[in-house]
Amino acid sequence: MSLMLPRAFLGVTRSVLGRPWRDRLDIAGLGRAEMLSQQQGLPDILARLLAARGVEPAEAMRFLEPKLRDLLPDPAVLADMQPAAARLARAAMQGERVAIFGDYDVDGACSSALLAGFLSQAGARPRIHIPDRLIEGYGPNSEAIRMLAGEGATLLVTVDCGTTSEEPLAEARRLGLDVVVLDHHQAPERLPEVEALVNPNRQDDLSGLGHLCAAGVVFLALVATSRELRRQGHWAARGGEPDLLLALDLVALATVADVVPLRGLNRAFVRQGLAMMRSRARPGLAALMDVSGLDGPIQPWHLGYLLGPRINAGGRIGDAALGARLLLTDDEVEARGIAAELNRLNQERQEIERLAVLEAVSQAEHELAGASEMPVLLAGSADWHPGIVGLVAARLKERFRRPAFALALNGEGGATGSGRSVAGVDLGRAVPSPCASSTPHRSSLAPRSDAGRRRSARAPPRDRPGHSASGRLSSLAALRLRNSRQSDFRRRLEVTWAPAGRRSSVIFWS
């Protein structure tokens, strides 16, 4: 019996790298593309792109021209949103000190700045804390919470983190702080005991908004809180309420930089947010655009490849709080100074990354020379900065088309590492088992669904470490483990992923 070969597209069967190249559309997809072209009057290439993404003819214009008025849901569809909004509104009306605990990436910086800016306008006294990547690690920690409580905070709000931080948040409650969590990462069945935990990826949430980044969740929380303050007459007493649409520039930046799927509400966030950015109303973003060399209308890919990496550079090798400070400041002089420092840090990060990638590729090639079917790569060095190991792992994954880990050895018998995976391999599920007797740091992050297929907001894959995943699989993981566990870690990963490592990669034309 002969096997049917995939249809070639434009007569081409192989890419330059020798990978099979086939038409992404099946027979049904081709029919959908023809209907899109005929019914909506779309060019054939655009119709094919929409058909490849599963867009039906009736949805085409909403996909191409997404509007918030059509796509913004009632925030109350998110579990725990009503108690979260009520507690935030009370903090504003009573002028409470609010501690905002954010993550050190773009999404965390944007979420922190969003919330702090709103609470300041509403009458609360917010204070942002972004943890040091190397000293504190990811998420809330008890020592920082004790410090914030000592400064007089009565409410702790975690943004882009907190869903799995059961013990630190229990410490916050012991210290008398109320706690609200605004997050989007994968959630376990058991959640921390807090006043409210808003996360569209918690297992009992039925909102269907699991594709939002943290800044998207925060924006919906601000909509709900503003509505509660309006109901209680707070805005009337203060002489008016803020225009939340002006905050969409930060939501758009976080949405693209966090590589969440550009569908549904996210498309409306980015479309409207780009319009806000073009006005250059936020001094921090205007300064960042200037140091990035942007001299024309801002485009979606600028967010992921020019602005995002510069904000991330502070969290990787410098002061993790620089990004949030930049996005929150109204002082143009301060904004230019912070933007210049982030630009300098990003240039330094690029050189550190370049040297580390060269060494990692050399290690990988040496390993594969003796075992070309090795399903997972593990590279490490004592010379690598822990803040860039995720980027190194991404480069290895892209070059060798298999899951890869990069470890920064600390010289004290341990290592800090990060991993990136390929489609079909859930890194978040695989990491905890091999690391069970080590010290997991960040074993699973938000799912990166459809990330490998997003091209509208991304430059060519070779220019930026991508995140690939399939469905709701997690493609990133970070960990800390003892050197004595590294060989066992590799062996167990190889057993876990042996089938995936032998898959052939296919380049899809879409």
Side-chain angles (χ1 to χ4, degrees):
M1 182 178 66
S2 61
L3 296 176
M4 289 186 61
L5 296 175
R7 298 187 319 276
F9 180 72
L10 297 178
V12 179
T13 59
R14 295 276 174 180
S15 73
V16 173
L17 297 178
R19 304 179 195 173
W21 195 22
R22 65 176 176 83
D23 192 334
R24 166 174 269 181
L25 299 180
D26 55 15
I27 299 299
L30 289 171
R32 187 163 58 246
E34 186 173 352
M35 290 177 62
L36 282 162
S37 180
Q38 293 177 353
Q39 294 181 15
Q40 301 296 336
L42 300 175
D44 180 63
I45 186 67
L46 180 55
R48 289 180 61 89
L49 286 166
L50 295 180
R53 284 154 178 76
V55 178
E56 297 294 337
E59 304 168 350
M61 298 318 296
R62 179 174 289 193
F63 184 89
L64 293 172
E65 298 180 3
K67 296 179 175 63
L68 275 180
R69 66 169 178 262
D70 298 328
L71 295 166
L72 189 69
D74 183 341
V77 301
L78 286 156
D80 266 9
M81 180 59 85
Q82 290 177 312
R87 185 62 186 90
L88 289 170
R90 177 154 64 91
M93 290 186 292
Q94 296 181 358
E96 294 182 49
R97 292 184 182 273
V98 181
I100 300 171
F101 203 112
D103 192 10
Y104 37 62
D105 65 359
V106 176
D107 195 13
C110 291
S111 299
S112 299
L114 270 173
L115 183 58
F118 175 86
L119 289 176
S120 293
Q121 291 176 295
R125 292 175 290 169
R127 190 263 207 231
I128 296 174
H129 178 78
I130 306 292
D132 185 279
R133 180 190 291 262
L134 304 185
I135 299 173
E136 298 176 71
Y138 167 76
N141 63 86
S142 296
E143 183 176 348
I145 289 172
R146 286 191 288 269
M147 176 193 69
L148 295 169
E151 294 177 355
T154 54
L155 172 63
L156 172 68
V157 185
T158 70
V159 293
D160 200 24
C161 59
T163 296
T164 60
S165 304
E166 188 171 357
E167 179 51 38
L169 299 187
E171 174 68 8
R173 291 173 63 85
R174 285 193 290 269
L175 292 169
L177 278 72
D178 289 342
V179 179
V180 171
V181 175
L182 303 175
D183 196 9
H184 73 129
H185 292 122
Q186 290 176 334
E189 184 175 350
R190 175 174 171 173
L191 299 173
E193 294 184 10
V194 295
E195 273 60 41
L197 194 156
V198 182
N199 182 337
N201 285 303
R202 54 185 281 179
Q203 296 181 26
D204 61 345
D205 187 279
L206 303 177
S207 67
L209 296 171
H211 56 290
L212 297 183
C213 66
V217 175
V218 170
F219 181 81
L220 292 181
L222 300 190
V223 172
T225 303
S226 186
R227 183 168 60 189
E228 177 65 16
L229 290 170
R230 187 184 313 119
R231 187 184 69 81
Q232 299 201 33
H234 182 71
W235 292 128
R238 291 185 67 85
E241 59 186 275
D243 183 356
L244 292 180
L245 293 181
L246 297 178
L248 288 175
D249 54 355
L250 299 186
V251 182
L253 174 58
T255 297
V256 174
D258 216 49
V259 202
V260 292
L262 277 186
R263 59 182 174 84
L265 181 57
N266 282 343
R267 293 183 66 79
F269 279 154
V270 173
R271 184 173 186 261
Q272 186 70 36
L274 285 171
M276 295 299 168
M277 283 189 198
R278 288 168 188 146
S279 71
R280 294 175 59 91
R282 191 178 297 273
L285 281 180
L288 199 62
M289 292 179 205
D290 290 342
V291 300
S292 301
L294 278 175
D295 56 2
I298 191 164
Q299 301 297 325
W301 71 268
H302 293 147
L303 310 187
Y305 296 92
L306 297 180
L307 306 186
R310 285 169 169 80
I311 293 175
N312 272 333
R316 291 190 183 281
I317 63 173
D319 180 352
L322 285 175
R325 283 174 49 202
L326 175 73
L327 300 175
L328 198 56
T329 185
D330 290 323
D331 186 319
E332 293 184 3
V333 175
E334 181 185 25
R336 286 196 293 269
I338 297 173
E341 174 63 7
L342 286 172
N343 189 56
R344 184 193 67 78
L345 287 171
N346 189 56
Q347 292 172 341
E348 182 179 342
R349 185 272 306 169
Q350 289 173 325
E351 181 61 16
I352 293 172
E353 178 191 349
R354 185 185 68 82
L355 296 174
V357 168
L358 285 175
E359 184 177 359
V361 168
S362 177
Q363 291 182 25
E365 289 175 340
H366 177 75
E367 293 277 355
L368 293 172
S372 60
E373 294 297 313
M374 183 180 293
V376 58
L377 296 174
L378 187 64
S381 172
D383 295 328
W384 297 350
H385 192 291
I388 55 91
V389 289
L391 303 175
V392 174
R395 298 296 187 190
L396 290 177
K397 182 268 295 184
E398 290 175 351
R399 176 157 182 161
F400 297 103
R401 310 202 302 274
R402 66 198 72 199
F405 283 84
L407 304 175
L409 311 180
N410 62 20
E412 299 175 357
T416 298
S418 187
R420 296 293 186 272
S421 191
V422 295
V425 180
D426 190 341
L427 212 58
R429 292 184 181 275
V431 167
S433 176
C435 295
S437 57
S438 58
T439 308
H441 172 44
R442 190 179 188 179
S443 60
S444 67
L445 304 183
R448 307 302 196 198
S449 309
D450 298 333
R453 288 178 284 177
R454 272 184 53 234
R455 290 291 176 265
S456 60
R458 302 176 63 186
R462 66 180 180 276
D463 294 332
R464 178 173 179 262
H467 304 182
S468 63
S470 175
R472 294 177 59 85
L473 303 183
S474 175
S475 65
L476 300 90
L479 58 135
R480 288 175 178 165
L481 69 161
R482 305 293 297 174
N483 282 350
S484 58
R485 300 290 299 166
Q486 290 171 29
S487 59
D488 180 53
F489 179 55
R490 180 199 291 272
R491 285 194 299 272
R492 296 179 69 174
L493 288 176
E494 288 176 352
V495 170
T496 302
W497 289 331
R502 296 186 177 90
R503 292 194 188 101
S504 61
S505 297
V506 177
I507 294 179
F508 289 96
W509 184 90
S510 58

